[in-house]
Amino acid sequence: AQSVSQHNHHVILSEAASLELGCNYSYGGTVNLFWYVQYPGQHLQLLLKYFSGDPLVKGIKGFEAEFIKSKFSFNLRKPSVQWSDTAEYFCAVMGGATNKLIFGTGTLLAVQP
Amino acid sequence: DTGVSQDPRHKITKRGQNVTFRCDPISEHNRLYWYRQTLGQGPEFLTYFQNEAQLEKSRLLSDRFSAERPKGSFSTLEIQRTEQGDSAMYLCASSFGLAGPLGEQFFGPGTRLTVL
């Protein structure tokens, strides 16, 4: 069965600090990987996705993630966070022929000005 | 607003009552998904439609839950004989795809259900 593990449940950073949120998945076959973000009071929206090709993918608002197949990981990074990045971040996997997203439990990021 | 819409946004009901939620996907999207999210958890998949056909259902979707998408456009999710454990945010998402899993899923604002 597919599963996603997010190691950090709550992260507090100061503005301009670097961010890395961990995501590991469990699935033996071909996977599609996603990071979704939910800003306070807003819908879930896609931050970035990996389907194939270059394992380093860039998303909106300066975010990037690296797919490391050997580690079953898809960590999210941003070199310098802003107060407006305060949100909840969800890693998700879609494996094989299925169309369903399997989400992690989310990481709540609070950026202090 | 041309995004995914859900109605109602909030629903409070008493245990044992039936409730129905509606989702209107983005107009050109042929795929529609229902997820459920409880506090402190990520969204959990419930079911998925391609056009009017319900192609996958989670084991989370007990006999009390039923979803329809009669004309391949909007969808309804009904919960019969609600229980307190059904309290959650019910999310709808839509995407466009002809074959295979590709296609970004766009999420709606959700319907928050509270069962007293």
Side-chain angles (χ1 to χ4, degrees):
Chain A
Q2 300 169 39
S3 66
V4 177
S5 176
Q6 292 184 243
H7 318 297
N8 317 100
H9 296 293
H10 199 176
V11 173
I12 302 173
L13 294 173
S14 298
E15 276 194 313
S18 64
L19 170 72
E20 181 159 3
L21 300 182
C23 173
N24 285 90
Y25 66 92
S26 172
Y27 185 73
T30 303
V31 290
N32 301 308
L33 296 158
F34 306 80
W35 276 96
Y36 278 82
V37 61
Q38 189 165 25
Y39 297 102
Q42 296 188 25
H43 311 179
L44 271 170
Q45 56 184 282
L46 185 67
L47 202 52
L48 50 79
K49 61 189 176 188
Y50 172 80
F51 286 161
S52 63
D54 188 345
L56 183 63
V57 292
K58 295 191 183 300
I60 59 172
K61 304 187 180 185
F63 285 90
E64 65 178 32
E66 185 174 13
F67 169 50
I68 303 180
K69 190 175 180 180
S70 61
K71 295 185 177 179
F72 298 90
S73 71
F74 190 57
N75 292 354
L76 181 71
R77 299 194 293 248
K78 185 171 184 178
S80 175
V81 295
Q82 300 173 315
W83 177 79
S84 58
D85 293 324
T86 294
E88 190 158 19
Y89 293 81
F90 294 93
C91 181
V93 63
M94 184 188 290
T98 182
N99 287 281
K100 64 186 179 188
L101 289 167
I102 306 296
F103 285 87
T105 53
T107 297
L108 201 56
L109 171 66
V111 179
Q112 297 174 330
Chain B
D1 188 344
T2 56
V4 177
S5 62
Q6 293 187 245
D7 184 69
R9 296 290 303 277
H10 303 272
K11 178 71 177 178
I12 300 173
T13 191
K14 292 182 180 178
R15 187 163 49 98
Q17 297 295 304
N18 299 343
V19 294
T20 301
F21 310 141
R22 177 181 169 121
C23 171
D24 286 89
I26 293 171
S27 59
E28 63 269 24
H29 286 183
N30 60 338
R31 294 178 172 179
L32 187 147
Y33 312 79
W34 286 99
Y35 294 83
R36 181 173 68 185
Q37 186 176 17
T38 53
L39 203 60
Q41 301 296 318
E44 295 174 293
F45 171 79
L46 293 179
T47 190
Y48 146 66
F49 291 85
Q50 179 154 316
N51 300 314
E52 64 276 9
Q54 189 173 18
L55 296 187
E56 191 171 352
K57 288 170 61 172
S58 164
R59 279 172 285 183
L60 291 174
L61 216 63
S62 75
D63 291 345
R64 297 184 297 105
F65 287 70
S66 62
E68 293 183 343
R69 195 182 183 200
K71 297 181 181 179
S73 56
F74 73 92
S75 174
T76 57
L77 177 68
E78 181 183 15
I79 309 174
Q80 295 182 327
R81 305 181 304 281
T82 52
E83 301 172 357
Q84 288 184 324
D86 297 332
S87 295
M89 178 75 87
Y90 289 84
L91 297 170
C92 178
S94 71
S95 71
F96 178 77
L98 296 176
L102 300 183
E104 175 185 345
Q105 292 185 25
F106 291 82
F107 282 81
T111 294
R112 182 168 294 285
L113 173 65
T114 302
V115 182
L116 302 176

